[in-house]
Amino acid sequence: FLLPALLCLLTLLLPPLSLGAPTSPAEPISQAYSLALYMQKNTSMLLQTYLQYQGSPFSDPGFSAPELQLSSLPPAIVSFKTWHALDDGERLGRAQGAFLALTQHLQLVGDDQSSLNPGSPILLAQLRAARLRAQGLLGNMAAITTALGLPIPPEEDTLGLASFGASAFERKCQGYVVTREYGYWTDRAVRDLALLKAKYPG
Amino acid sequence: MDAASCLRRRSPRVAGESVKMTSNFRWFLPTFTLLCLLSRVSGQRKGAPRDLKCTTNNLRAWDCSWKAPSGAGRSALYEVCIENRSPPCYRSGKTNTKIPTLLPGDHEITINPLHDSGSSLSRFTLNEKDVSFIPDPPEILDLSADFPASTLHLKWTDRGSVFPHHSRVIWEIKVLRKDSMEVVKVVTHNTTLNGVDTVHHWSWASDMPLECATHSVGLRCYVDDPHFSGRKEWSDWSPLKNVSWSTDSPGKVFPQDKVILVGSDITFCCVTQEKVSSAQIGYAKCPLIHLDGENVAIRIHNISVSEDSGTNVVFTTKENIYGTVIFAGYPPDIPQKLNCETVDLRGIICTWDPGRPTALVGPRNTSYTLSESFSGKYVKFKRAEALINESYQLLFQILPDQELYNFTLTAHNPLGQSQARILVNVTERVYPRTPSSIKVKDINATAVTLSWHLPGNFAKIKLLCQVEINKMNSVQELRNVTIAGADGSRYLAAVGRLHPYTVYTFRVRCATEPFWKWSRWSDEKQYLTTEAIPSKGPDTWREWRSDGKNLIIYWKPLPVSEANGKILFYNVSCSSDEKTQSFSEIPDPQHKAEMQLDKNDYIISVVAKNSAGASPPSKIASMEIPNDDLRTEQAVGTGRGILLTWGHDPNATCDYVVKWCNASQAEPCLMDWRKVPANSTEAVIESDQFRPGVRYHFFLYGCRNQGYQLLRSVIGYIEELAPIVAPNFTVEDTSADSILVKWEDIPVEELRGFLRGYLFYFEKGERDTSKMRGLESGRPDVKVKNITDTSQKTLRIADLQGRTSYHLVLRAYTSGGLGPGKSMFVVTKENSVGLIIAILIPVAVAVLVGVVTSILCYRKREWIKETFYPDIPNPENCKALQFQKGICEGNSGLKTLEMNPCTPNNVEVLETRTAVPKIEDTEIVSPVAERPEESSPEADPESQVVVSYCPPVVEEEVPNPGADEGGGASQVIYIDVQSMYQPQARPEEELETDPAAGAGAAAGYKPQMHLPVTPAAEDAAAEDGADKSAGYRPQASVRAWNLASPDSPRSTDSNSEAVSFGSPCSINSRQFLIPPKDEDSPKSGGGGWSFTNFFQNKPND
């Protein structure tokens, strides 16, 4: 399960390494779209696995706490009108910002779970895989940005040191929000990239 | 604090006043006395100070107060005088004053109001017992809160310097909670005053997190001075100190990330500005306890063990959820099975079992520390993950010059710690590693050097190693070797007492001295020892060829244990006094040599050689000493071998030799031989070559002066079997009453045992019949002769019948059983005299009878002619008519023939054409009529149901009771025979043949014949059969036939048309009166025909 995903990531990560080459945007868009689709298949499983290991009420069937949010993580859900009003650069820029934050948060959640659930290799592996995929998608988006000639958004450290020293409950909640938003952002990325794909057909 | 400062301020002032008063005392004394007297006088007049009360807060001064006399002005001045004290008086502008502590006992005190002419002096008696000791309220120096631990820390001073004596102090501390000041804890705390100010501490762990509500602490004290005899009282409470928690966050739940013992009670609270709607721990909802503001708490009793990520406690508000995680687990168990040992004396490995799981993981997992008390060193064990089956072990480096180690293993987690100890002498706890790199080196053919590598610093101790020696097809052998230890080198051990040219498998394991544990066995090492010269010469025998010129020398290959190597060749030499003849280098697979020798005495010598050298020669003399007194004996073995015994021969100077061969084998006869020690008198000869049923020849030789003499010759079987073939026999001679049989011997190979005799069977029998059955089955008609004389080869069988076929069988038998038989058929010759007699007698009788008959016929010829063949036949002579008439005359009841309408024509019309004439019917019926009882159906229930036959004349079928009795009634009885009925009659037949089944049981097709029946008959039929019948039923009540008696008039009436069914038959004869088909029917021609019939039919034909 993990190995093919990693191989896939490696192939998808190649384009951004050759940034200088002027390439058609269709190819990186297609690659990013494929990766986003692949990620989309696993997001709900990641969320379910995560909740399953956190105990009640997280592990209760149908658990949902939309009121829980993280200030360091931009929310993925926007109205269609707002989303539609964005141009390609803005859409890509927001998605990149979100996945950058998500990679950092997923790293943090992985560390937290290593301490809370050290005997759960399945959960830890899924968190690790999700982080690697988010990084891969980031690379693909960077390639698209380059191919479209858009300005590359600056990398920001969204987490800083603020998240350290949180209580176990806060860390559980944080992990829940991160895995949930990871799914939302992946859905949104699929939508963004589908739009781009339609605009730049290969 | 205020009280204390006040006290400090007051004290100097009091001291200053007393000094001033002391200096002016002399001057004012007369005046004071005077005033006192005046005061008393005026006091008696206007009133005097009263109710003197004294208290103390430090036992150094008493604070006395009194009530002023009524009417006393504010500016009143009092002089308080104490008797026998110096200074005796004090002045005070108030109604109280401090006086130094008085000694125990009564003291007289006078209080004299000065400047008040109306008041008078008061006298009081003051005792220490009347004084109350009330310490000042204590002062709390500090109250702090350890929020994570929910613990309050209180700090205060005891002001011990104030009190003159060392005394015990009881502190009472109260803890109040919430704004409503609920007392949650009151506790006393004992200390002692020791003359100096001492700061005291008190800590209290709250059952509720301190963040949940404001906590206040108050303090008071009670000084228990043993020297003070007055009343001691509690001080006032100190001012309360508060602790509270504030945060900017909208809501928080406490305690956070706490680790607690499973089963304990705990309170959680949510500090929030919002209204909490519910709270739950795990899956369980909890009732809310309301605190100040919107803060709430829940109380959990007997908390259960948490899962890895802890137990969540969640408070839900309208818009948010707040929570915390609690980790309920156990303190570490005492480490079990702590064991420390070394593999190489470089490091000590201690292993243990953690015991009961703590249910705490990650940062809360148990950490272990292994410390050694002599050296003070320690190593730590910390794992982030509690993996099952992972061994718990720690490596402690061995210190130079230290053999004794006192280890303490401490297990620690947030809930506590536990320890296990072990004291080891490391040189006594060595579990060496597995020896490796086994090598073997030759010393000689029977000894090798074994070497192996064993890592470790064993320089100071001895190694005890064990070498396991395995040889093919042999028990394994263990040898212990003690070796001086070294530091990581190879070790050598010599292994002797081995066999040459043998494959050995070696392996080694080691332990140390003193013994603790064996190491694992090393890998096996296979090794072939070198060759040595054969230890013995080959076992040798010799045989002369039948011509007596050539001698064949045989020898056996040496067993592996004696060959000591691969035998390459043999050297054979024959030497006599005159010459020596030798064969050299006969290659190994060949184990015999033939040489031409004369009849001289030769000594034959055989030597086996391998690569290491030649064996000692084995010698045998060629000469064979003759033995005239020799006879061949017989012996039978035990199935596996054969036992030979012989008498002790004092002349036998060397071994006996038993040789044997297959008796049918050609010369020289030798299969194998065996040497038997000279003192033996018996030998069991066993060989894999022996087969049952094979005859062997055994020869026993005695050895005398290098020559062998044949002592016994034995033929025998190890097991006898039955002969495999039958003896071949022939008939030599046959006569009318005897047979001479001759047979041949069975060859030895087919005899398969010693012949014990023959069995000869004979019986009368033809070839075809006798073949089918054996003769040996013990039947009485089989005669057997047992021939036990095995030399007998012929047998004459006498007393036989002439011209009779005899079946002969001959079988041989041994102790192993009876062999197959050969059979033969022989016909004895004819007896001619008897035959002639048998022919002549009948012929003579026949002739005689013929002659006598002829004579009689001749003499009575006229009568015969008249009787049988008259010229004109006379009807009266008709026997048939006479017979009929006679019957009719004898039975007056017989009316059948007399009645005109009753003609046999009816019978003929209804039935098929018949050969039986009408007259026959009547005749046969006649006997029935004479014996009517026999024809009754009741008389013979098993007989076929009968249907009465009667003339079909309706007019004559009047019910006639007398007809039953009328034995002369003409009746024809029908017997149902299934095959002879027409289809219409079948239902009747079925019903009547099985009356028990009833009409209903006969399901299926029934003829639709209608028969007129009476209602009674119908009812009977309906009752009997209606409920049982199934399927189609005939529309005729056939039951009517059943019920109708043969004699019943009704039956005759109703069956007037049915009389034709069935075949009429005589009851007596059971003969069919009207044959169904023709005269050829076998039934119609059965035993029912009589001579009478024969004669009666004859005219019709």
Side-chain angles (χ1 to χ4, degrees), chain B residues 18 87 164 218 262 494 648 679 705 784 907 918 929 1088:
Chain B
S18 76
V262 171
H648 180 66
N679 54 2
N705 300 326
V784 183
V907 174
K918 294 167 284 184

Side-chain angles (χ1 to χ4, degrees), chain B residues 444-460:
Chain B
N444 55 39
T446 59
V448 294
T449 303
L450 213 60
S451 70
W452 63 90
H453 179 70
L454 187 66
N457 181 12
F458 304 116
K460 292 178 182 172

Side-chain angles (χ1 to χ4, degrees), chain A residues 43-134:
Chain A
T43 51
S44 68
M45 190 167 75
L46 171 69
L47 181 60
Q48 289 309 314
T49 309
Y50 178 82
L51 291 176
Q52 176 195 333
Y53 281 99
Q54 308 311 315
S56 179
F58 298 98
S59 59
D60 294 351
F63 171 79
S64 172
E67 65 273 21
L68 291 179
Q69 293 289 343
L70 276 178
S71 58
S72 51
L73 205 56
I77 295 172
V78 289
S79 68
F80 177 75
K81 194 177 170 186
T82 314
W83 178 75
H84 196 262
L86 297 172
D87 61 24
D88 293 345
E90 283 172 326
R91 270 194 217 103
L92 268 178
R94 290 192 185 189
Q96 278 178 285
F99 276 96
L100 181 64
L102 279 171
T103 52
Q104 295 170 6
H105 278 88
L106 282 168
Q107 177 72 63
L108 190 68
V109 173
D111 294 348
D112 290 344
Q113 291 300 314
S114 301
S115 128
L116 282 169
N117 284 302
S120 310
I122 296 170
L123 171 64
L124 301 179
Q126 286 192 19
L127 285 169
R128 195 162 48 244
R131 179 169 54 83
L132 287 172
R133 284 180 204 137

Side-chain angles (χ1 to χ4, degrees), chain B residues 519-798:
Chain B
S519 73
R520 289 186 187 164
W521 283 106
S522 69
D523 291 338
E524 291 186 339
K525 180 76 180 177
Q526 219 172 43
Y527 193 75
L528 175 66
T529 49
T530 55
E531 294 189 15
I533 58 166
S535 53
K536 279 173 68 180
D539 189 0
T540 311
W541 185 244
R542 81 285 176 277
E543 282 287 318
W544 284 97
R545 281 224 180 265
S546 50
D547 59 5
K549 291 178 180 174
N550 282 9
L551 185 72
I552 309 172
I553 299 135
Y554 298 93
W555 61 93
K556 291 183 185 176
L558 283 168
V560 175
S561 60
E562 291 172 353
N564 291 345
K566 180 172 170 50
I567 299 297
L568 302 173
F569 50 84
Y570 299 92
N571 287 340
V572 181
S573 63
C574 299
S575 59
S576 68
D577 298 337
E578 297 169 2
K579 65 173 184 179
T580 299
Q581 191 179 350
S582 66
F583 293 101
S584 293
E585 301 197 351
I586 299 167
D588 174 50
Q590 186 178 334
H591 294 120
K592 69 175 186 179
E594 186 167 352
M595 54 179 68
Q596 199 170 19
L597 295 176
D598 53 27
K599 282 295 180 182
N600 284 333
D601 291 348
Y602 286 93
I603 297 295
I604 299 143
S605 165
V606 181
V607 168
K609 290 192 83 170
N610 63 12
S611 65
S615 70
S618 65
K619 295 181 176 177
I620 189 167
S622 67
M623 192 181 73
E624 187 145 344
I625 304 161
N627 186 350
D628 301 330
D629 183 22
L630 192 68
R631 57 186 179 88
T632 301
E633 305 156 43
Q634 288 187 350
V636 178
T638 58
R640 293 185 58 197
I642 193 161
L643 174 67
L644 295 181
T645 56
W646 59 89
H648 180 66
D649 183 1
N651 297 323
T653 53
C654 43
D655 297 342
Y656 291 100
V657 171
V658 178
K659 74 155 194 177
W660 61 90
C661 62
N662 191 325
S664 56
Q665 201 179 16
E667 291 288 328
C669 169
L670 181 68
M671 266 174 71
D672 201 354
W673 72 92
R674 199 181 123 188
K675 289 191 172 167
V676 184
N679 54 2
S680 302
T681 58
E682 63 172 31
V684 176
I685 308 299
E686 290 182 345
S687 167
D688 293 339
Q689 296 172 316
F690 286 151
R691 298 282 177 270
V694 177
R695 182 177 291 184
Y696 296 100
H697 204 156
F698 299 88
F699 301 93
L700 174 69
Y701 290 90
C703 173
R704 297 179 184 172
N705 300 326
Q706 300 298 323
Y708 284 93
Q709 183 183 31
L710 182 59
L711 301 178
R712 288 184 67 186
S713 169
V714 176
I715 56 169
Y717 295 85
I718 60 154
E719 185 183 357
E720 286 187 276
L721 299 178
I724 200 169
V725 296
N728 191 14
F729 76 99
T730 53
V731 176
E732 287 290 298
D733 182 30
T734 310
S735 67
D737 63 347
S738 70
I739 298 168
L740 178 64
V741 177
K742 184 180 180 185
W743 60 87
E744 299 166 5
D745 282 338
I746 298 174
V748 168
E749 292 82 2
E750 293 167 334
L751 196 57
R752 306 204 296 173
F754 295 115
L755 181 67
R756 301 295 178 204
Y758 299 94
L759 285 179
F760 193 87
Y761 306 84
F762 62 99
E763 64 158 352
K764 284 186 203 169
E766 296 291 337
R767 181 177 295 271
D768 294 337
T769 55
S770 298
K771 260 187 182 175
M772 300 304 290
R773 44 190 187 168
L775 279 177
E776 51 284 349
S777 55
R779 300 198 315 273
D781 53 340
V782 177
K783 292 173 180 165
V784 183
K785 282 185 183 293
N786 186 1
I787 303 141
T788 53
D789 179 7
T790 55
S791 60
Q792 186 178 335
K793 293 289 180 281
T794 59
L795 177 68
R796 176 170 292 280
I797 312 158

Side-chain angles (χ1 to χ4, degrees), chain B residues 772-880:
Chain B
M772 300 304 290
R773 44 190 187 168
L775 279 177
E776 51 284 349
S777 55
R779 300 198 315 273
D781 53 340
V782 177
K783 292 173 180 165
V784 183
K785 282 185 183 293
N786 186 1
I787 303 141
T788 53
D789 179 7
T790 55
S791 60
Q792 186 178 335
K793 293 289 180 281
T794 59
L795 177 68
R796 176 170 292 280
I797 312 158
D799 300 332
L800 302 178
Q801 294 178 3
R803 197 171 173 71
T804 306
S805 176
Y806 282 93
H807 182 198
L808 315 177
V809 173
L810 181 63
R811 306 171 73 185
Y813 63 91
T814 66
S815 297
L818 205 54
K822 183 182 177 183
S823 106
M824 187 178 282
F825 290 87
V826 179
V827 180
T828 49
K829 288 183 176 169
E830 218 168 338
N831 189 342
S832 53
V833 177
L835 187 65
I836 291 165
I837 292 169
I839 293 168
L840 286 182
I841 290 173
V843 170
V845 170
V847 169
L848 189 63
V849 169
V851 170
V852 170
T853 306
S854 301
I855 294 169
L856 282 175
C857 288
Y858 179 76
R859 295 184 69 172
K860 295 284 183 180
R861 61 185 178 277
E862 287 303 321
W863 175 80
I864 290 169
K865 183 175 169 58
E866 278 301 308
T867 305
F868 295 102
Y869 305 104
D871 292 336
I872 300 165
N874 182 2
E876 290 184 358
N877 290 339
C878 175
K879 291 264 175 64

